Amino acid sequence: MAKRIDVSDLDIFYGNFKAVEGVNVSIEPRSVTALIGPSGCGKSTFLRSLNRMHEVIPGARVEGKVVIDGQDLYGSDVDPVDVRRQIGMVFQRPNPFPTMSIYDNVVAGVRLNSKKMKKNDLDDLVESSLRGANLWNEVKDRLDRPGSGLSGGQQQRLCIARAIAVQPEVLLMDEPCSALDPISTLAIEDLMTELKDRFTIVIVTHNMQQAARVSEQTGFFNLNGVGQPGRLIEFNPTEKIFSNPDQKATEDYISGRFG
Amino acid sequence: MSTATPVRPEAPEPLAPAVRQRRGLPRFGGTAVFAAGLALAAVLTAASGWSWGLFAVLGIVLGCLVTYVVSRVVEGRRKATDRLVTALVSSAFAVAMVPLVSLIYTVVSNGVGRLDGTFFSNSMVGVVGEGGGAYHAIMGTLIITALAAVISVPVGLLAAIYLVEYGKGRLKKVLTFFVDVMTGIPSIVAGLFAYALFAIFFGPGIRFGLGGAVALSVLMIPVVVRSSEEVLKLVPNELREASYALGVSKWRTILKVVVPTAIAGLGTSVTLAIARVIGETAPLLVIVGITAATNFDPFDGRMATLPVYAYYQLTQPGVPPEFGIERAWTAALVLIIIVMALNVVARLISRFFAPKTGR
Ligand SMILES: Nc1ncnc2c1ncn2[C@@H]1O[C@H](COP(=O)(O)OP(=O)(O)O)[C@@H](O)[C@H]1O
Ligand SMILES: [Mg+2]
C-alpha cells in the first residue's frame, strides 16, 4: 500500500509570494519522515503541496513535480480529489465534524463520498480504524456520542482514525501533537510507529525529541530572511541529522542556537 | 548591560487598612433611591398639572440626579459614576420599551374582543355590519407567504452558498452590492414591479396570489441571502479542509459538511425572513387586491391577506363602522401572534439543530 514520493524542483507560491523554493527530496515508503525548522519556513506549505491541499487557498499554486509511484500529482489529467483520497492528512488542531457522532466521523470519508457499504462492513471499518488509532477501548461504548465531546487528545486520535479509514497510501501530519498533553502525545507517537508498517508517514514537528524518537529520515527547512522563500537545507537519516549534520545551520538549529 | 537596576520609587504606606471596609447602599438601594427621585418628579408634575411627557423627562433627570448625589455622599465617586451610568442605561431601556409595550397593549385590548371562533372560521361574504371573520385572509396570508418562501429560500440559500463558497473577484463584489441594493427596495416598488411584470402577460388589472408571492420574494431574497451568508461564514474553514483531505469533492463538502453544520442558523435566518415579509401590505394591495370570499387558488383571482384585510376593515368599515374597526384590530393581533410564533419557531430550530457537544 505505502508509496514512495519523489519531489523535484518544487516551488510553492501564495499569489506572487514564493513561500518555498527548489525542494528536491525522495520520501521512502513504510517509514516516518520528519520535517523540522523554524516557524514560517514553509513546512506546512510543503506538506500541503504533497496532497494538493495547497491549492485550496485562493491564489495558491505550485511549480515543479511531485511523483508518487511514477504518477505526477500535478499532471494535467490528475483530479486533486483522487489525490487526496490516496494521501490523507491530519491537521494541527483536531477538527472532528461537530454534527457527526464518533462512528460517523470515522466513516465520514466513506459516507461523504456516498460509497455504498454494508452495515457490517462499516462496523468492521470503524472498529479497525479506531483500534488502529488506539482509541477503540476508550470510545467503544459511546460510538453514537458526538465526536466533539472527546478530550483534545482523543479528538486528534479520532481524526487519525478518520484519515486511515479511507485507507490512504500516505499519511501527512502537520504538528499533530502541538495542541496535546504529553500523555496524548506519547499515545500518538506510539501510534505512528505502528502505522508506518502500513503507510508512508510524513510529519511536521516543532519538537526535536519527537522527530528523533519517531522518524527514520529528517528534513530541515530554513529561510534566509523574512520575505525570502523557505528551502530544504538538509535531508538525511535522523541519526545523522541529530549526531553530525552536514550543514552548519542544521547543527545550530537542533542545538538550540536559533529558531 | 547596565548593573544598576532601576530603583522603584518607594510606594507611600497606605493609610487605610489593606481591605477597605465597603461603605455602600444596601441591596436594591440604588433602585430605591432612583424611585425616590421618580416620586419627587411625580409630585412636582402633579403640582403643575399632570402630563406624562413632563413626568418622564423630569423623572429620569431627577432619578439620575438623586441617585448620583446620594451615592456620591454615601459611597464615593467611582461608585456614584457607576450608578449614574446604570441609571441612564436602564432609563434608556425603559424609554425604548414604552412604544413596544404600548403597541402590544393597544392591539391586544382592542383586538381581543373579536378573537373568537367566528373570526377564525368565517369569511366576509355577505357581512356588512356585525360578525364576519378573517378565515379567508388568514389562509390567503399563509398561502402567499408559503409560496414566497418556496421561491425565495432556494434562490436565497443558493446565492448565499455561491457568495461564500464559490464567488470571487469582481462578480462577487457586484452581486453583494446588488443584494444590498435589493435590501433597500421600498415594498411598494416590489409590488409595482410584480404588477408591471404580470401585466405584460395577463393585461392590466391583473390580480392574483402568485403575483403577491413574487413581490414578497423580491423583498425576502436579499434578507435570506444576507443572513445565510453570515451564517455560512461562521462555519470554520478547518471543517472544509478536513473534508477535502478525505478526498471529498467541493460540492459534497458543501452539501454534507458546511450546510449541516450551519443548519440551525440557516433555519433561523429563513424563519426570520418569513416573519419579515408576512406583514407586508403595500405590494399585496397592488397585485393581490382583496376579496370577501375564500380563495385557495393563488393562480387565479384576488385573495384576501391579513394586512390588506386590516387595511380595508379600517378604511371601509361598513355600517355601522365599529364592527369593521374591531375586525381590523383583531387581524392585527393575529398577525402579531403569527410573527411571534415564527420567532419562537426560529429559536426552537436553533436550539434543536445546533451541533451537540455531549460532554
Ligand atoms: N494562506 C496563506 N496565504 C499567504 N501566505 C501564507 C499562507 N499560509 C502561509 N503563508 C506564508 O508562507 C510562509 C510559510 O508558512 P508555513 O508553511 O505556514 O510555515 P511553517 O508551517 O513552517 O511554520 C510564511 O511566510 C507564511 O507567511
Ligand atoms: Mg505550520
Side-chain angles (χ1 to χ4, degrees), chain A residues 48 53 56 81 84-85 87 89 91 93 95-99 108-109 111-114 145-146 148-150 162, chain B residues 168 238-250 252-253 256-257 260-262 353 355-359:
Chain A
R48 289 166 61 94
M53 281 296 287
V56 169
V81 173
R84 292 178 205 135
R85 231 166 267 174
I87 307 179
M89 186 157 205
F91 296 83
R93 288 236 311 258
N95 53 2
F97 297 119
T99 51
R111 284 256 173 88
L112 294 182
N113 282 315
S114 289
R145 309 284 303 169
S148 42
L150 298 172
R162 181 176 70 185
Chain B
K168 50 180 170 241
E238 294 160 15
L239 296 182
R240 296 185 181 92
E241 296 207 330
S243 176
Y244 294 149
L246 291 171
V248 180
S249 57
K250 184 160 181 171
R252 276 190 200 280
T253 299
K256 299 201 167 171
V257 174
T261 306
F353 285 96
K356 295 164 188 66
T357 54
R359 265 188 215 271

Side-chain angles (χ1 to χ4, degrees), chain A residues 165-185:
Chain A
V166 291
Q167 290 161 359
E169 331 258 346
V170 179
L171 201 54
L172 308 175
M173 298 181 158
D174 191 353
E175 300 184 39
C177 303
S178 65
L180 305 184
D181 62 284
I183 308 257
S184 308
T185 302

Side-chain angles (χ1 to χ4, degrees), chain A residues 14 17 19 38-46 57 175 206:
Chain A
Y14 289 102
F17 173 60
S39 279
C41 63
K43 306 180 296 294
S44 303
T45 305
F46 172 69
I57 296 164
E175 300 184 39
H206 266 294

